Amino acid sequence: LLDESLAALDRGFAQFRAGWFSSLHERLNPSIEERITRQDRYLRLLANEIPPTVSFALTAVAEIDKEHPLDGTVFTEALRPVLKVSQKGTVKTALKLLEKIAKREPNVAPAVARVAADALIHAASDVQESALKLISFTGSTTDAELLDAVTKAQE
């Protein structure tokens, strides 16, 4: 049932139907071990078009990361689409996870900064402020790719 509820979330159902499957999944109360074995599926759901499904997946990967730290490079890239959703709480949670990754794996910090630049176009100024703080903490003024991303966000 855990696998089938995740598969259903990947099928493009309307939001009200997708919500039923994420609710079922959580009522099944998956253990951390069960979540870890399905981490790739949760990471893939971070790019889902349904905002509540993205929030559901973000909560699941955050739980996994607490107990079993995810690979920083993979996790950072998987969080990229989350920074483009309109729900500011979801974006701020993703930014906090990116900060955690950068602190845990300093070698991934430049990638974290580049991904965080995607949040600079968010409509909420507090999200933009959080992204700028993270970029300042993790980025480098000599990173041409980062400078280009920040410049494009300002256009």
Side-chain angles (χ1 to χ4, degrees):
L1 285 174
L2 290 172
D3 290 332
E4 290 306 315
S5 61
L6 291 174
L9 289 169
D10 231 356
R11 288 190 184 115
F13 287 120
Q15 185 169 323
F16 76 95
R17 284 215 170 96
W20 187 88
F21 288 105
S22 59
S23 179
L24 169 65
H25 187 83
E26 289 308 298
R27 282 185 293 192
L28 292 170
N29 197 26
S31 68
I32 192 64
E33 292 78 20
E34 290 170 322
R35 287 196 191 275
I36 289 169
T37 62
R38 292 163 178 83
Q39 72 185 21
D40 290 340
R41 298 181 87 177
Y42 294 118
L43 289 169
R44 189 172 57 247
L45 286 172
L46 292 173
N48 196 279
E49 293 180 11
I50 307 294
T53 299
V54 173
S55 295
F56 156 80
L58 189 60
T59 299
V61 295
E63 287 180 27
I64 293 168
D65 192 61
K66 266 189 239 175
E67 298 295 322
H68 183 271
L70 297 166
D71 175 84
T73 303
V74 172
F75 198 10
T76 296
E77 261 321 297
L79 288 170
R80 185 181 291 274
V82 180
L83 300 178
K84 297 175 183 172
V85 301
S86 59
Q87 291 75 16
K88 74 179 195 174
T90 303
V91 177
K92 288 183 98 172
T93 299
L95 289 168
K96 287 178 186 171
L97 288 169
L98 285 167
E99 181 179 1
K100 183 179 173 184
I101 293 166
K103 287 179 179 175
R104 179 176 73 217
E105 297 181 44
N107 61 315
V108 181
V112 165
R114 288 184 224 114
V115 169
D118 289 352
L120 293 174
I121 62 169
H122 198 277
S125 61
D126 57 329
V127 170
Q128 295 170 10
E129 184 179 337
S130 295
L132 279 172
K133 284 180 183 175
L134 182 56
I135 291 166
S136 295
F137 170 68
T138 58
S140 167
T141 57
T142 61
D143 184 340
E145 189 178 337
L146 174 60
L147 295 173
D148 186 48
V150 171
T151 302
K152 283 181 181 175
Q154 293 176 354
E155 293 175 348

Coordinates of all heavy atoms in Angstrom, one line a residue, residues 10-69:
D10 N 2.2 10.0 -8.3 CA 3.0 10.3 -9.5 C 2.2 10.2 -10.8 O 2.7 10.3 -11.9 CB 4.1 9.2 -9.6 CG 5.5 9.9 -9.8 OD1 5.6 11.1 -9.9 OD2 6.5 9.1 -9.8
R11 N 0.9 9.9 -10.7 CA 0.1 9.7 -11.9 C -0.7 10.9 -12.4 O -1.4 10.8 -13.4 CB -1.0 8.6 -11.6 CG -0.3 7.2 -11.5 CD -1.4 6.1 -11.5 NE -0.7 4.9 -11.3 CZ -0.8 4.1 -10.2 NH1 -1.7 4.4 -9.2 NH2 -0.2 2.9 -10.1
G12 N -0.5 12.0 -11.8 CA -1.1 13.2 -12.3 C -2.6 13.4 -11.9 O -3.3 14.1 -12.7
F13 N -3.1 12.8 -10.9 CA -4.4 13.0 -10.5 C -4.7 14.4 -10.1 O -3.7 15.2 -9.7 CB -4.8 12.1 -9.2 CG -4.9 10.6 -9.6 CD1 -4.1 9.7 -9.0 CD2 -5.9 10.2 -10.5 CE1 -4.2 8.4 -9.3 CE2 -6.0 8.9 -10.8 CZ -5.2 7.9 -10.2
A14 N -5.9 14.9 -10.1 CA -6.3 16.2 -9.6 C -5.9 16.3 -8.1 O -5.8 15.3 -7.4 CB -7.8 16.4 -9.8
Q15 N -5.8 17.5 -7.7 CA -5.3 17.8 -6.3 C -6.1 17.1 -5.2 O -5.6 16.5 -4.3 CB -5.3 19.3 -6.0 CG -4.7 19.6 -4.7 CD -4.4 21.1 -4.6 OE1 -4.0 21.8 -5.5 NE2 -4.6 21.6 -3.4
F16 N -7.5 17.1 -5.3 CA -8.3 16.5 -4.3 C -8.1 15.0 -4.3 O -8.1 14.4 -3.2 CB -9.8 16.9 -4.4 CG -10.5 16.1 -5.5 CD1 -11.2 15.0 -5.3 CD2 -10.5 16.6 -6.8 CE1 -11.9 14.3 -6.3 CE2 -11.2 16.0 -7.9 CZ -11.9 14.8 -7.6
R17 N -7.8 14.4 -5.4 CA -7.6 12.9 -5.4 C -6.2 12.6 -4.9 O -5.9 11.7 -4.2 CB -7.7 12.4 -6.8 CG -9.1 12.2 -7.2 CD -9.4 11.0 -8.1 NE -10.8 10.8 -8.3 CZ -11.5 11.2 -9.3 NH1 -10.9 11.9 -10.3 NH2 -12.8 11.0 -9.3
A18 N -5.2 13.4 -5.3 CA -3.8 13.2 -4.8 C -3.8 13.4 -3.3 O -3.0 12.6 -2.7 CB -2.9 14.3 -5.5
G19 N -4.5 14.3 -2.8 CA -4.6 14.5 -1.3 C -5.0 13.2 -0.6 O -4.5 12.9 0.5
W20 N -5.9 12.5 -1.2 CA -6.4 11.2 -0.6 C -5.3 10.2 -0.5 O -5.1 9.6 0.5 CB -7.6 10.7 -1.4 CG -8.2 9.5 -0.8 CD1 -9.3 9.5 0.1 CD2 -7.9 8.1 -0.9 NE1 -9.6 8.2 0.5 CE2 -8.7 7.4 -0.1 CE3 -6.9 7.5 -1.7 CZ2 -8.6 6.0 0.0 CZ3 -6.8 6.1 -1.6 CH2 -7.7 5.4 -0.8
F21 N -4.5 10.1 -1.5 CA -3.4 9.2 -1.5 C -2.3 9.5 -0.6 O -1.7 8.7 0.1 CB -2.8 9.0 -3.0 CG -3.8 8.2 -3.8 CD1 -4.5 8.9 -4.8 CD2 -4.0 6.8 -3.7 CE1 -5.4 8.2 -5.6 CE2 -4.8 6.1 -4.5 CZ -5.5 6.8 -5.5
S22 N -1.9 10.8 -0.5 CA -0.9 11.2 0.5 C -1.4 11.0 1.9 O -0.7 10.6 2.8 CB -0.4 12.7 0.3 OG -1.5 13.6 0.4
S23 N -2.7 11.3 2.1 CA -3.3 11.1 3.4 C -3.3 9.6 3.8 O -2.9 9.2 4.9 CB -4.7 11.6 3.5 OG -5.3 11.4 4.7
L24 N -3.6 8.7 2.8 CA -3.6 7.3 3.1 C -2.2 6.9 3.4 O -2.0 6.1 4.4 CB -4.1 6.5 1.8 CG -3.8 5.0 1.8 CD1 -4.6 4.3 2.9 CD2 -4.1 4.4 0.5
H25 N -1.2 7.3 2.7 CA 0.2 7.0 2.9 C 0.6 7.3 4.4 O 1.2 6.5 5.0 CB 1.1 7.7 1.9 CG 2.5 7.3 2.0 ND1 3.0 6.2 1.3 CD2 3.6 7.9 2.6 CE1 4.3 6.1 1.5 NE2 4.7 7.1 2.3
E26 N 0.2 8.5 4.8 CA 0.6 8.9 6.2 C -0.2 8.1 7.2 O 0.4 7.9 8.3 CB 0.4 10.4 6.3 CG 1.5 11.2 5.6 CD 2.9 10.8 5.9 OE1 3.3 10.9 7.1 OE2 3.6 10.3 5.0
R27 N -1.4 7.8 7.0 CA -2.2 7.0 7.9 C -1.6 5.6 8.1 O -1.8 4.9 9.1 CB -3.6 6.9 7.5 CG -4.4 8.2 7.9 CD -5.8 8.1 7.6 NE -5.9 8.0 6.2 CZ -7.0 8.1 5.5 NH1 -8.2 8.2 6.1 NH2 -7.0 8.0 4.2
L28 N -0.9 5.1 7.0 CA -0.2 3.8 7.1 C 1.0 3.9 8.1 O 1.6 2.9 8.4 CB 0.2 3.3 5.8 CG -1.0 3.0 4.8 CD1 -0.5 2.7 3.4 CD2 -1.7 1.8 5.3
N29 N 1.4 5.1 8.4 CA 2.4 5.4 9.4 C 3.7 4.7 9.1 O 4.2 3.8 9.8 CB 2.0 5.0 10.8 CG 2.8 5.7 11.9 OD1 3.4 6.7 11.6 ND2 2.9 5.0 13.0
P30 N 4.3 5.0 7.9 CA 5.6 4.3 7.5 C 6.7 4.5 8.5 O 6.9 5.6 9.0 CB 5.9 4.9 6.1 CG 5.1 6.1 6.0 CD 4.0 6.0 6.9
S31 N 7.4 3.5 8.8 CA 8.6 3.6 9.7 C 9.7 4.3 9.0 O 9.6 4.5 7.7 CB 9.1 2.2 10.1 OG 9.6 1.5 9.0
I32 N 10.7 4.8 9.7 CA 11.8 5.4 9.1 C 12.5 4.5 8.1 O 12.9 4.9 7.0 CB 12.8 6.0 10.1 CG1 13.8 7.0 9.4 CG2 13.5 5.0 10.9 CD1 13.2 8.2 8.8
E33 N 12.6 3.2 8.4 CA 13.2 2.3 7.5 C 12.4 2.2 6.2 O 13.0 2.1 5.1 CB 13.4 0.9 8.1 CG 14.4 0.8 9.3 CD 13.8 1.4 10.6 OE1 12.6 1.5 10.8 OE2 14.7 1.8 11.4
E34 N 11.1 2.1 6.3 CA 10.2 2.1 5.1 C 10.4 3.4 4.3 O 10.4 3.3 3.1 CB 8.8 1.9 5.5 CG 8.5 0.5 6.1 CD 7.1 0.3 6.7 OE1 6.6 1.3 7.3 OE2 6.5 -0.8 6.5
R35 N 10.5 4.5 5.0 CA 10.7 5.7 4.2 C 12.1 5.7 3.5 O 12.2 6.2 2.4 CB 10.6 6.9 5.2 CG 9.2 7.2 5.6 CD 9.1 8.6 6.3 NE 7.9 8.9 6.9 CZ 6.8 9.3 6.4 NH1 6.7 9.5 5.1 NH2 5.7 9.6 7.1
I36 N 13.1 5.3 4.2 CA 14.4 5.2 3.6 C 14.4 4.4 2.3 O 15.0 4.8 1.3 CB 15.5 4.7 4.6 CG1 15.7 5.8 5.7 CG2 16.8 4.4 3.9 CD1 16.5 5.3 6.9
T37 N 13.8 3.3 2.3 CA 13.8 2.4 1.1 C 13.0 3.1 0.0 O 13.2 2.7 -1.2 CB 13.2 1.0 1.4 OG1 11.8 1.2 1.8 CG2 14.0 0.3 2.5
R38 N 12.2 4.1 0.3 CA 11.4 4.8 -0.7 C 11.9 6.2 -1.0 O 11.2 7.0 -1.6 CB 9.9 4.8 -0.3 CG 9.3 3.4 -0.4 CD 8.0 3.3 0.4 NE 7.4 2.0 0.3 CZ 7.8 1.0 1.1 NH1 8.8 1.1 2.0 NH2 7.3 -0.2 0.9
Q39 N 13.1 6.5 -0.5 CA 13.6 7.9 -0.6 C 13.6 8.4 -2.0 O 13.3 9.6 -2.2 CB 14.9 8.1 0.1 CG 16.1 7.5 -0.5 CD 17.4 7.6 0.3 OE1 17.3 7.8 1.5 NE2 18.5 7.5 -0.4
D40 N 14.0 7.6 -3.0 CA 14.1 8.1 -4.3 C 12.7 8.5 -4.9 O 12.6 9.5 -5.6 CB 14.6 7.0 -5.3 CG 16.1 6.8 -5.0 OD1 16.8 7.7 -4.4 OD2 16.6 5.7 -5.4
R41 N 11.7 7.8 -4.4 CA 10.3 8.2 -4.8 C 9.9 9.5 -4.2 O 9.2 10.3 -4.9 CB 9.3 7.0 -4.5 CG 9.7 5.8 -5.2 CD 8.8 4.6 -4.9 NE 7.7 4.8 -5.9 CZ 6.8 3.9 -6.0 NH1 6.7 2.9 -5.1 NH2 5.8 4.0 -6.8
Y42 N 10.2 9.7 -2.9 CA 9.9 11.0 -2.3 C 10.6 12.1 -3.0 O 10.1 13.2 -3.2 CB 10.2 10.9 -0.8 CG 9.4 10.0 0.1 CD1 10.0 8.9 0.7 CD2 8.1 10.2 0.3 CE1 9.3 8.1 1.5 CE2 7.3 9.3 1.1 CZ 8.0 8.3 1.7 OH 7.3 7.4 2.5
L43 N 11.9 11.9 -3.3 CA 12.7 12.9 -3.9 C 12.1 13.3 -5.3 O 12.0 14.5 -5.6 CB 14.2 12.5 -4.1 CG 15.0 12.4 -2.8 CD1 16.3 11.7 -3.0 CD2 15.2 13.8 -2.2
R44 N 11.6 12.3 -6.0 CA 11.0 12.6 -7.3 C 9.7 13.4 -7.2 O 9.4 14.2 -8.0 CB 10.8 11.2 -8.0 CG 10.3 11.4 -9.5 CD 10.2 10.1 -10.3 NE 9.3 9.1 -9.7 CZ 9.7 8.0 -9.2 NH1 11.0 7.6 -9.2 NH2 8.9 7.1 -8.7
L45 N 9.0 13.1 -6.1 CA 7.7 13.8 -5.9 C 7.9 15.3 -5.5 O 7.0 16.1 -5.6 CB 6.9 13.1 -4.8 CG 6.2 11.8 -5.1 CD1 5.6 11.2 -3.9 CD2 5.2 12.1 -6.2
L46 N 9.2 15.7 -5.2 CA 9.4 17.1 -4.9 C 9.2 17.9 -6.2 O 9.0 19.2 -6.1 CB 10.9 17.3 -4.4 CG 11.2 16.7 -3.0 CD1 12.7 16.8 -2.7 CD2 10.3 17.4 -2.0
A47 N 9.2 17.3 -7.3 CA 9.0 18.0 -8.6 C 7.6 17.9 -9.1 O 7.3 18.4 -10.2 CB 10.0 17.5 -9.7
N48 N 6.7 17.4 -8.3 CA 5.3 17.2 -8.6 C 4.6 18.6 -8.9 O 5.0 19.6 -8.3 CB 4.6 16.4 -7.5 CG 3.3 15.9 -8.0 OD1 2.3 16.5 -8.0 ND2 3.3 14.6 -8.3
E49 N 3.6 18.6 -9.7 CA 2.8 19.8 -10.0 C 1.8 20.2 -8.9 O 1.3 21.3 -8.9 CB 2.2 19.7 -11.3 CG 3.1 19.6 -12.5 CD 2.4 19.5 -13.8 OE1 1.2 19.7 -13.9 OE2 3.1 19.2 -14.8
I50 N 1.5 19.2 -8.0 CA 0.5 19.5 -7.0 C 1.2 20.0 -5.8 O 1.9 19.2 -5.1 CB -0.3 18.2 -6.7 CG1 -0.9 17.6 -8.0 CG2 -1.4 18.4 -5.7 CD1 -1.9 18.4 -8.7
P51 N 0.9 21.2 -5.3 CA 1.6 21.8 -4.2 C 1.5 20.9 -2.9 O 2.5 20.7 -2.2 CB 1.0 23.2 -4.0 CG 0.6 23.5 -5.4 CD 0.1 22.2 -6.0
P52 N 0.3 20.4 -2.5 CA 0.3 19.6 -1.3 C 1.1 18.3 -1.4 O 1.6 17.8 -0.4 CB -1.2 19.3 -1.1 CG -1.9 20.4 -1.8 CD -1.1 20.7 -3.0
T53 N 1.2 17.8 -2.6 CA 2.1 16.6 -2.8 C 3.5 17.0 -2.6 O 4.3 16.2 -2.0 CB 1.9 16.0 -4.2 OG1 0.5 15.6 -4.4 CG2 2.8 14.8 -4.5
V54 N 3.9 18.1 -3.1 CA 5.3 18.6 -2.8 C 5.6 18.8 -1.3 O 6.6 18.3 -0.8 CB 5.6 19.9 -3.6 CG1 6.9 20.5 -3.2 CG2 5.5 19.7 -5.1
S55 N 4.6 19.4 -0.6 CA 4.8 19.5 0.8 C 4.8 18.2 1.5 O 5.7 18.0 2.4 CB 3.6 20.3 1.4 OG 3.6 21.6 0.9
F56 N 4.0 17.2 1.1 CA 4.0 15.9 1.6 C 5.4 15.2 1.4 O 6.0 14.7 2.4 CB 2.9 15.0 0.9 CG 3.2 13.6 0.9 CD1 2.9 12.8 2.1 CD2 3.7 12.9 -0.2 CE1 3.1 11.4 2.1 CE2 3.9 11.6 -0.2 CZ 3.6 10.8 0.9
A57 N 5.9 15.3 0.2 CA 7.3 14.7 -0.1 C 8.4 15.4 0.7 O 9.3 14.8 1.2 CB 7.5 14.8 -1.6
L58 N 8.3 16.8 0.8 CA 9.3 17.5 1.6 C 9.3 17.1 3.0 O 10.4 16.9 3.6 CB 9.0 19.0 1.4 CG 10.0 20.0 2.0 CD1 11.4 19.8 1.2 CD2 9.6 21.4 1.8
T59 N 8.2 16.9 3.6 CA 8.1 16.4 5.0 C 8.8 15.0 5.1 O 9.5 14.8 6.1 CB 6.7 16.4 5.5 OG1 6.1 17.7 5.4 CG2 6.5 15.9 6.9
A60 N 8.5 14.2 4.2 CA 9.0 12.8 4.2 C 10.5 12.8 4.1 O 11.2 12.2 4.8 CB 8.4 12.0 3.1
V61 N 11.1 13.6 3.1 CA 12.5 13.6 3.0 C 13.2 14.3 4.2 O 14.3 13.9 4.5 CB 13.0 14.2 1.6 CG1 12.6 13.4 0.5 CG2 12.6 15.7 1.5
A62 N 12.6 15.3 4.8 CA 13.1 15.9 6.0 C 13.2 14.9 7.1 O 14.2 14.9 7.8 CB 12.3 17.1 6.4
E63 N 12.2 14.1 7.2 CA 12.3 13.0 8.3 C 13.4 12.0 8.0 O 14.1 11.6 8.9 CB 10.9 12.3 8.3 CG 9.8 13.1 9.0 CD 8.5 12.3 9.0 OE1 8.5 11.1 9.0 OE2 7.4 13.0 9.0
I64 N 13.5 11.6 6.7 CA 14.6 10.7 6.3 C 15.9 11.3 6.7 O 16.8 10.7 7.3 CB 14.5 10.3 4.9 CG1 13.2 9.5 4.6 CG2 15.7 9.5 4.4 CD1 12.9 9.3 3.1
D65 N 16.1 12.6 6.2 CA 17.4 13.2 6.4 C 17.8 13.4 7.9 O 19.0 13.3 8.2 CB 17.3 14.6 5.7 CG 18.7 15.2 5.6 OD1 19.6 14.6 5.0 OD2 18.9 16.3 6.2
K66 N 16.8 13.5 8.8 CA 17.1 13.6 10.2 C 17.8 12.3 10.7 O 18.7 12.3 11.5 CB 15.8 13.8 11.0 CG 15.5 15.2 11.3 CD 14.4 15.2 12.3 CE 13.2 16.0 11.7 NZ 12.0 16.0 12.5
E67 N 17.3 11.2 10.3 CA 17.7 9.9 10.7 C 18.9 9.3 9.9 O 19.7 8.5 10.4 CB 16.6 8.9 10.8 CG 15.5 9.3 11.8 CD 15.9 9.3 13.2 OE1 16.7 8.4 13.6 OE2 15.5 10.2 13.9
H68 N 18.8 9.6 8.6 CA 19.7 9.0 7.7 C 20.1 10.1 6.6 O 19.4 10.2 5.6 CB 19.0 7.8 7.0 CG 19.9 7.0 6.0 ND1 20.0 7.4 4.7 CD2 20.7 6.0 6.2 CE1 20.8 6.5 4.1 NE2 21.2 5.7 5.0
P69 N 21.1 10.9 6.9 CA 21.4 12.0 6.1 C 21.5 11.6 4.6 O 22.2 10.7 4.2 CB 22.7 12.5 6.6 CG 22.7 12.1 8.0 CD 22.0 10.8 8.1

